[in-house]
Amino acid sequence: MKYFNPSKVTFSIATAAILTLLAGCNSDVNQSTSVVVSPKESVLIADFEQAQLTTLIQPFYAQAILNKNLLGSQALKIKFSTQHSSSGINLKPEKPWVTSHLGNNAFMFEAKNTSESSIMLSVNITGKNNATQRRTVAIDKDETITLYFELKGFELDHDTGLRDTPPAFKTTARKMPIRGSKEIIDFSQVHAIKIYTETQIKPTEIVIDNLRFETTPTPNKNYVTHIVDKFGQRADINFDLKVKSTAELKAFADKELMELKNSKGWPDRSQFGGWKDGPRFDATGYFRTQKVANKWALIDPEGYLYFSSGIANSRMSNTSTFTGIDYKDDSVRYIDPDDVTPEDSQGISGNYRQAQKTSNVANQQRRNMFEWLPDYDNELANHYGYRRKAHKGPMKHGEVYSFYQANLERRYGETTEHSYLQNWHDVTLERMVDWGFTSFGNWTDPMFYDNKKMPYFANGWIIGEFKTLSSGFDIWGKMPDVFDPEFVRRANITTQVIAQEIKNSPWCVGIFIDNEQSWGGEGPPIRRYGIVFDALSKNAKESPSKAVFVKMLKQKYENIHALNIVWGKNVASWEQLSEGVNYKKDDGYSDEMLADFGWLLQTYADEYFKVVKNAIKEVLPNHMYMGARFTTWGTAPEALKAAKKYADVVSYNYYREGLDEMTWSFLKELDAPVIIGEYHIGSTDVGHPNPGIIHAPNQKVRADMYRDYMNSAIDNPYVIGAHWFQYIDSPLTGRAHDGENYNVGFVTITDIPFPHMISAAKDIHTKLYRRRYGDIQ
């Protein structure tokens, strides 16, 4: 088996053999090859020494080229497509690779990025029972690195409460972080490997070599012990901006405050952040949309063209992390059924002094992650809180601590109760103005709602004890039964609370309601029409949506026999249909049946958006309804159509490197104002084991990628704004709600701004309005 030293090897352009396949080979195609078994410590998959590629390598929407490197051996160059949503190679042996004899092991390979920019490379590996795990890594321009994808290892199947953890063993290779959720998979047999990129906005290519399964070193069983210092930073590594003392933290603050005091502002901006130097339109006193010269635009309250460049999640709610402690006092877990704020949006507040007397260690591993946590009588103990439930993780509920909020007290002191929060409020506003942003994004702390410096978006959730439906892939939770009167009541309660907070302020651009719901999506019928399938399986006496659907079908079809003919089913009577029919596992659906499902889903989606719109306009007639913050993975066309009909703006969260044509070409037909509610890019170079959803190799490239994303949004004629998620880095040990431990903030956990990000923001915003609207007279 061939290995090379990455520090000594460079790849030439010399090509020994070329295999170019741009036709998009299906990943299910079987390839015949023999499995090469090397000594016990490794299993070789491919070293590319053959004169031509074997059928094991199946490119899809990519070029796969054998390259001879300077040492005379060969490697594989993959040129990825910018015209397809996914591009790369599949490897699928005739018989699965066996790794059970390797003990703890990983899939490993050498990689060199030969692109003109960094690349985010993904790998999917499929083990037993067709179960697949995805991992992703960023590789810088011209960088050569050994990568590993851990398959079996110490506590790999253990839930630490972090989206990903530091490496459990010493190695010079780079760990590929988990993308999405960690799956528990038996990789003793590996059935397929996929190496690919997603929706590239720039041409990218990579050279790979020595694909293998290899035994990993002896693990450090204390790999997550004492990884967090007293400031909430990684204790075991050094990095730029790392704070060593409270005095240093205060010095950072003093320096920044002086810089903000000398900020010159943005002379070309109106009072509300619109383009004062551009053309002016009708002023209504509130934000609105208008199509101007074939571009959708926001118009600010004074009539100036406006583009919403913002930062979302400027609040304390998601800065807390589980400490491993819980309280025996059950009273702390009570949830008011009339509450309109979900648990993950609750602040860090409350008096837990009595409950803390009943504290006990509920998770020793999490407790051991921290070098320091304050005693309950410490002056920084007021940054403890409690989470009554979590979306995922080993702690279903328990004590939490906000290192970020504690660092604010260290940074500014406390002259009166919680005065550091007022300092934070004031400095955050000054930063947003200085950095050139034109608004906050979603999930802005209501303490900003009365400000007169920076426009904002209000938000709400419709939660409560109404009936629900399942889409079949309920990522964040089930969908509401929109025909349940309780859903309507709760929608009205939510918007009434928002209206009380906003106080009809013209600084509020609009209102988002809900987030990333599972509406269905493109694909097989069960994926697109899951809500309808679930409703039909229920009894109409128990499901308001089912009752509406049955009524609609009775009005369309003269009798049950007529429905059976069209659907190709054998329902005995309307009564049987009302009691429930389960078609979730059927193999066949007639086109007419699916057309009816689309009709029913459209009725459901229309009702959702109509209920929310009516609830908003009843109490906030001057403000825009900003939609439900769709995803590209969970939005059926029927939901999009309903959003256009009832919402003032269609909103999407889109985590990619930019707004690519292949995904967003539908906007021309939609022809509606669209806002990007979330996107981000992160890196691992400041200690976060998982950088985020989109990866950069370092902070400089992270800022460059941020600039690229924003420019792609500014240049899109249908997009009226884009909001970075989020203001503050995630807690290193994961936010309490679901363990996200991402480096995606504009400021660190010690509230220090990332210089490259700030520089990029100022550059973007200096050019913002002339780039967007400069051709409009």
Side-chain angles (χ1 to χ4, degrees), residues 415-450:
T415 55
T416 59
E417 187 175 18
H418 305 316
S419 62
Y420 49 83
L421 291 179
Q422 186 60 48
N423 292 124
W424 173 77
H425 167 276
D426 297 344
V427 170
T428 298
L429 280 174
E430 291 176 13
R431 285 171 172 171
M432 293 291 286
V433 173
D434 180 61
W435 300 346
F437 287 97
T438 61
S439 74
F440 286 103
N442 199 35
W443 298 306
T444 302
D445 194 302
M447 73 188 301
F448 292 104
Y449 284 7
D450 63 354

Short mmCIF file of all heavy atoms in Angstrom, two decimals, residues 415-450:
data_model
loop_
_atom_site.label_atom_id
_atom_site.label_comp_id
_atom_site.label_asym_id
_atom_site.label_seq_id
_atom_site.Cartn_x
_atom_site.Cartn_y
_atom_site.Cartn_z
N THR A 415 -23.11 47.98 38.19
CA THR A 415 -23.31 49.14 39.06
C THR A 415 -24.70 49.15 39.68
O THR A 415 -24.90 49.61 40.80
CB THR A 415 -23.08 50.44 38.28
OG1 THR A 415 -23.94 50.43 37.12
CG2 THR A 415 -21.63 50.52 37.81
N THR A 416 -25.68 48.67 38.93
CA THR A 416 -27.04 48.41 39.44
C THR A 416 -27.43 47.02 38.97
O THR A 416 -26.72 46.43 38.13
CB THR A 416 -28.04 49.45 38.92
OG1 THR A 416 -28.06 49.40 37.47
CG2 THR A 416 -27.67 50.85 39.37
N GLU A 417 -28.54 46.50 39.45
CA GLU A 417 -28.91 45.13 39.11
C GLU A 417 -29.01 44.95 37.59
O GLU A 417 -29.74 45.68 36.92
CB GLU A 417 -30.24 44.75 39.77
CG GLU A 417 -30.58 43.28 39.59
CD GLU A 417 -31.84 42.89 40.33
OE1 GLU A 417 -32.63 43.79 40.70
OE2 GLU A 417 -32.05 41.68 40.54
N HIS A 418 -28.25 44.00 37.06
CA HIS A 418 -28.24 43.66 35.64
C HIS A 418 -27.82 44.82 34.75
O HIS A 418 -28.16 44.86 33.56
CB HIS A 418 -29.60 43.13 35.18
CG HIS A 418 -30.11 41.97 35.97
ND1 HIS A 418 -29.32 40.90 36.32
CD2 HIS A 418 -31.35 41.71 36.48
CE1 HIS A 418 -30.03 40.03 37.02
NE2 HIS A 418 -31.26 40.50 37.13
N SER A 419 -27.06 45.77 35.28
CA SER A 419 -26.64 46.93 34.48
C SER A 419 -25.79 46.51 33.28
O SER A 419 -25.77 47.20 32.25
CB SER A 419 -25.88 47.93 35.34
OG SER A 419 -24.68 47.34 35.86
N TYR A 420 -25.08 45.39 33.39
CA TYR A 420 -24.25 44.91 32.29
C TYR A 420 -25.10 44.59 31.05
O TYR A 420 -24.61 44.67 29.92
CB TYR A 420 -23.43 43.68 32.71
CG TYR A 420 -24.25 42.61 33.38
CD1 TYR A 420 -24.97 41.67 32.64
CD2 TYR A 420 -24.32 42.55 34.77
CE1 TYR A 420 -25.73 40.70 33.26
CE2 TYR A 420 -25.08 41.58 35.40
CZ TYR A 420 -25.79 40.67 34.64
OH TYR A 420 -26.56 39.71 35.25
N LEU A 421 -26.37 44.23 31.25
CA LEU A 421 -27.25 43.98 30.11
C LEU A 421 -27.60 45.27 29.38
O LEU A 421 -27.73 45.29 28.16
CB LEU A 421 -28.52 43.26 30.55
CG LEU A 421 -28.34 41.81 31.02
CD1 LEU A 421 -29.66 41.21 31.47
CD2 LEU A 421 -27.71 40.95 29.91
N GLN A 422 -27.74 46.35 30.13
CA GLN A 422 -27.96 47.64 29.48
C GLN A 422 -26.71 48.07 28.73
O GLN A 422 -26.79 48.61 27.62
CB GLN A 422 -28.35 48.70 30.50
CG GLN A 422 -28.73 50.04 29.89
CD GLN A 422 -29.93 49.94 28.96
OE1 GLN A 422 -30.96 49.34 29.32
NE2 GLN A 422 -29.81 50.48 27.75
N ASN A 423 -25.53 47.81 29.31
CA ASN A 423 -24.28 48.07 28.59
C ASN A 423 -24.24 47.28 27.29
O ASN A 423 -23.86 47.80 26.24
CB ASN A 423 -23.08 47.70 29.46
CG ASN A 423 -22.90 48.60 30.66
OD1 ASN A 423 -22.86 48.13 31.80
ND2 ASN A 423 -22.78 49.91 30.45
N TRP A 424 -24.59 46.01 27.39
CA TRP A 424 -24.60 45.14 26.20
C TRP A 424 -25.57 45.68 25.15
O TRP A 424 -25.24 45.71 23.96
CB TRP A 424 -25.00 43.72 26.62
CG TRP A 424 -25.20 42.79 25.47
CD1 TRP A 424 -24.22 42.17 24.74
CD2 TRP A 424 -26.45 42.35 24.91
NE1 TRP A 424 -24.78 41.38 23.77
CE2 TRP A 424 -26.14 41.48 23.86
CE3 TRP A 424 -27.78 42.61 25.21
CZ2 TRP A 424 -27.15 40.87 23.09
CZ3 TRP A 424 -28.78 42.00 24.45
CH2 TRP A 424 -28.45 41.15 23.40
N HIS A 425 -26.75 46.08 25.58
CA HIS A 425 -27.75 46.65 24.67
C HIS A 425 -27.17 47.86 23.93
O HIS A 425 -27.24 47.96 22.69
CB HIS A 425 -28.98 47.06 25.50
CG HIS A 425 -29.97 47.92 24.78
ND1 HIS A 425 -29.84 49.30 24.68
CD2 HIS A 425 -31.12 47.63 24.12
CE1 HIS A 425 -30.85 49.80 24.01
NE2 HIS A 425 -31.65 48.80 23.66
N ASP A 426 -26.57 48.77 24.66
CA ASP A 426 -26.04 50.00 24.07
C ASP A 426 -24.88 49.71 23.12
O ASP A 426 -24.82 50.27 22.01
CB ASP A 426 -25.59 50.97 25.16
CG ASP A 426 -26.75 51.42 26.05
OD1 ASP A 426 -27.92 51.24 25.66
OD2 ASP A 426 -26.47 51.94 27.16
N VAL A 427 -23.96 48.85 23.54
CA VAL A 427 -22.80 48.53 22.71
C VAL A 427 -23.23 47.77 21.45
O VAL A 427 -22.71 48.01 20.36
CB VAL A 427 -21.76 47.73 23.51
CG1 VAL A 427 -20.67 47.18 22.59
CG2 VAL A 427 -21.14 48.59 24.59
N THR A 428 -24.19 46.87 21.60
CA THR A 428 -24.68 46.12 20.44
C THR A 428 -25.27 47.05 19.40
O THR A 428 -25.00 46.91 18.19
CB THR A 428 -25.72 45.07 20.88
OG1 THR A 428 -25.11 44.14 21.77
CG2 THR A 428 -26.27 44.31 19.68
N LEU A 429 -26.06 48.01 19.82
CA LEU A 429 -26.62 48.99 18.88
C LEU A 429 -25.50 49.78 18.20
O LEU A 429 -25.53 50.00 16.98
CB LEU A 429 -27.57 49.94 19.61
CG LEU A 429 -28.98 49.43 19.88
CD1 LEU A 429 -29.75 50.43 20.73
CD2 LEU A 429 -29.72 49.16 18.57
N GLU A 430 -24.51 50.22 18.97
CA GLU A 430 -23.41 50.98 18.39
C GLU A 430 -22.62 50.13 17.41
O GLU A 430 -22.17 50.62 16.36
CB GLU A 430 -22.51 51.50 19.51
CG GLU A 430 -23.15 52.59 20.37
CD GLU A 430 -22.26 53.01 21.51
OE1 GLU A 430 -21.07 52.66 21.50
OE2 GLU A 430 -22.76 53.69 22.43
N ARG A 431 -22.44 48.86 17.73
CA ARG A 431 -21.74 47.96 16.81
C ARG A 431 -22.51 47.82 15.50
O ARG A 431 -21.93 47.90 14.40
CB ARG A 431 -21.57 46.58 17.44
CG ARG A 431 -20.52 46.47 18.51
CD ARG A 431 -20.63 45.11 19.20
NE ARG A 431 -19.53 44.87 20.12
CZ ARG A 431 -19.49 43.85 20.97
NH1 ARG A 431 -20.51 42.99 21.03
NH2 ARG A 431 -18.45 43.68 21.77
N MET A 432 -23.80 47.55 15.60
CA MET A 432 -24.60 47.32 14.40
C MET A 432 -24.54 48.52 13.46
O MET A 432 -24.45 48.37 12.24
CB MET A 432 -26.05 47.01 14.80
CG MET A 432 -26.23 45.69 15.53
SD MET A 432 -25.95 44.24 14.48
CE MET A 432 -27.43 44.27 13.48
N VAL A 433 -24.58 49.70 14.03
CA VAL A 433 -24.48 50.92 13.22
C VAL A 433 -23.08 51.05 12.63
O VAL A 433 -22.90 51.28 11.43
CB VAL A 433 -24.85 52.16 14.05
CG1 VAL A 433 -24.57 53.43 13.24
CG2 VAL A 433 -26.31 52.11 14.48
N ASP A 434 -22.06 50.88 13.46
CA ASP A 434 -20.68 51.04 13.02
C ASP A 434 -20.32 50.02 11.94
O ASP A 434 -19.60 50.35 10.99
CB ASP A 434 -19.74 50.89 14.21
CG ASP A 434 -18.28 51.03 13.82
OD1 ASP A 434 -17.90 52.10 13.32
OD2 ASP A 434 -17.52 50.06 14.01
N TRP A 435 -20.79 48.80 12.08
CA TRP A 435 -20.48 47.75 11.12
C TRP A 435 -21.26 47.89 9.82
O TRP A 435 -20.98 47.18 8.85
CB TRP A 435 -20.73 46.37 11.72
CG TRP A 435 -19.90 46.09 12.95
CD1 TRP A 435 -18.82 46.78 13.41
CD2 TRP A 435 -20.12 45.05 13.90
NE1 TRP A 435 -18.33 46.23 14.57
CE2 TRP A 435 -19.12 45.15 14.91
CE3 TRP A 435 -21.06 44.02 14.01
CZ2 TRP A 435 -19.04 44.29 15.99
CZ3 TRP A 435 -20.98 43.15 15.10
CH2 TRP A 435 -19.98 43.28 16.07
N GLY A 436 -22.26 48.75 9.80
CA GLY A 436 -22.99 49.04 8.57
C GLY A 436 -24.26 48.26 8.36
O GLY A 436 -24.89 48.38 7.29
N PHE A 437 -24.67 47.45 9.31
CA PHE A 437 -25.90 46.68 9.15
C PHE A 437 -27.10 47.62 9.08
O PHE A 437 -27.10 48.71 9.67
CB PHE A 437 -26.06 45.67 10.28
CG PHE A 437 -25.12 44.51 10.16
CD1 PHE A 437 -23.92 44.48 10.86
CD2 PHE A 437 -25.42 43.45 9.31
CE1 PHE A 437 -23.04 43.42 10.72
CE2 PHE A 437 -24.55 42.39 9.17
CZ PHE A 437 -23.35 42.37 9.87
N THR A 438 -28.12 47.19 8.38
CA THR A 438 -29.33 48.00 8.25
C THR A 438 -30.46 47.49 9.12
O THR A 438 -31.50 48.14 9.20
CB THR A 438 -29.79 48.06 6.78
OG1 THR A 438 -30.11 46.72 6.34
CG2 THR A 438 -28.72 48.65 5.88
N SER A 439 -30.30 46.33 9.75
CA SER A 439 -31.35 45.82 10.64
C SER A 439 -30.81 44.70 11.50
O SER A 439 -29.76 44.12 11.22
CB SER A 439 -32.54 45.28 9.83
OG SER A 439 -32.21 44.03 9.23
N PHE A 440 -31.53 44.40 12.54
CA PHE A 440 -31.39 43.12 13.22
C PHE A 440 -32.13 42.08 12.39
O PHE A 440 -32.93 42.42 11.51
CB PHE A 440 -32.00 43.16 14.62
CG PHE A 440 -31.20 43.93 15.63
CD1 PHE A 440 -31.57 45.20 16.02
CD2 PHE A 440 -30.07 43.37 16.21
CE1 PHE A 440 -30.85 45.92 16.97
CE2 PHE A 440 -29.33 44.07 17.16
CZ PHE A 440 -29.71 45.34 17.53
N GLY A 441 -31.90 40.80 12.68
CA GLY A 441 -32.67 39.74 12.05
C GLY A 441 -33.73 39.21 13.00
O GLY A 441 -34.19 39.90 13.91
N ASN A 442 -34.13 37.98 12.77
CA ASN A 442 -35.14 37.35 13.63
C ASN A 442 -34.57 37.08 15.03
O ASN A 442 -33.36 37.09 15.24
CB ASN A 442 -35.60 36.03 13.01
CG ASN A 442 -36.93 35.56 13.56
OD1 ASN A 442 -37.79 36.36 13.88
ND2 ASN A 442 -37.08 34.25 13.68
N TRP A 443 -35.45 36.87 15.98
CA TRP A 443 -35.09 36.56 17.36
C TRP A 443 -34.23 37.66 17.98
O TRP A 443 -33.22 37.40 18.64
CB TRP A 443 -34.39 35.20 17.46
CG TRP A 443 -35.26 34.08 17.03
CD1 TRP A 443 -36.50 33.79 17.49
CD2 TRP A 443 -34.99 33.11 16.01
NE1 TRP A 443 -37.02 32.70 16.83
CE2 TRP A 443 -36.11 32.26 15.92
CE3 TRP A 443 -33.90 32.88 15.18
CZ2 TRP A 443 -36.18 31.20 15.02
CZ3 TRP A 443 -33.97 31.82 14.30
CH2 TRP A 443 -35.09 31.00 14.23
N THR A 444 -34.64 38.88 17.74
CA THR A 444 -34.02 40.02 18.40
C THR A 444 -34.61 40.14 19.79
O THR A 444 -35.83 40.04 19.97
CB THR A 444 -34.28 41.32 17.62
OG1 THR A 444 -33.78 41.15 16.29
CG2 THR A 444 -33.62 42.51 18.28
N ASP A 445 -33.78 40.35 20.78
CA ASP A 445 -34.28 40.52 22.14
C ASP A 445 -35.26 41.70 22.17
O ASP A 445 -34.95 42.78 21.67
CB ASP A 445 -33.12 40.79 23.10
CG ASP A 445 -33.53 40.63 24.55
OD1 ASP A 445 -34.46 41.34 24.98
OD2 ASP A 445 -32.90 39.83 25.26
N PRO A 446 -36.45 41.51 22.76
CA PRO A 446 -37.44 42.61 22.81
C PRO A 446 -36.91 43.88 23.48
O PRO A 446 -37.52 44.94 23.31
CB PRO A 446 -38.60 41.99 23.61
CG PRO A 446 -38.51 40.52 23.32
CD PRO A 446 -37.04 40.25 23.25
N MET A 447 -35.80 43.80 24.21
CA MET A 447 -35.24 45.02 24.80
C MET A 447 -34.78 46.01 23.73
O MET A 447 -34.57 47.19 24.01
CB MET A 447 -34.10 44.69 25.76
CG MET A 447 -32.82 44.24 25.12
SD MET A 447 -31.57 43.65 26.31
CE MET A 447 -31.33 45.09 27.35
N PHE A 448 -34.64 45.53 22.46
CA PHE A 448 -34.27 46.42 21.37
C PHE A 448 -35.50 47.03 20.67
O PHE A 448 -35.34 47.85 19.76
CB PHE A 448 -33.44 45.67 20.33
CG PHE A 448 -32.07 45.27 20.81
CD1 PHE A 448 -31.79 43.96 21.16
CD2 PHE A 448 -31.05 46.20 20.91
CE1 PHE A 448 -30.53 43.59 21.60
CE2 PHE A 448 -29.79 45.85 21.36
CZ PHE A 448 -29.53 44.54 21.71
N TYR A 449 -36.70 46.60 21.05
CA TYR A 449 -37.89 47.01 20.29
C TYR A 449 -38.19 48.51 20.39
O TYR A 449 -38.89 49.04 19.54
CB TYR A 449 -39.10 46.20 20.75
CG TYR A 449 -39.17 44.78 20.24
CD1 TYR A 449 -38.11 44.20 19.54
CD2 TYR A 449 -40.28 43.98 20.48
CE1 TYR A 449 -38.16 42.90 19.09
CE2 TYR A 449 -40.36 42.67 20.03
CZ TYR A 449 -39.29 42.13 19.34
OH TYR A 449 -39.37 40.83 18.89
N ASP A 450 -37.69 49.17 21.41
CA ASP A 450 -37.97 50.60 21.53
C ASP A 450 -36.78 51.46 21.08
O ASP A 450 -36.76 52.66 21.33
CB ASP A 450 -38.37 50.96 22.95
CG ASP A 450 -37.26 50.69 23.96
OD1 ASP A 450 -36.22 50.12 23.57
OD2 ASP A 450 -37.43 51.04 25.16
#
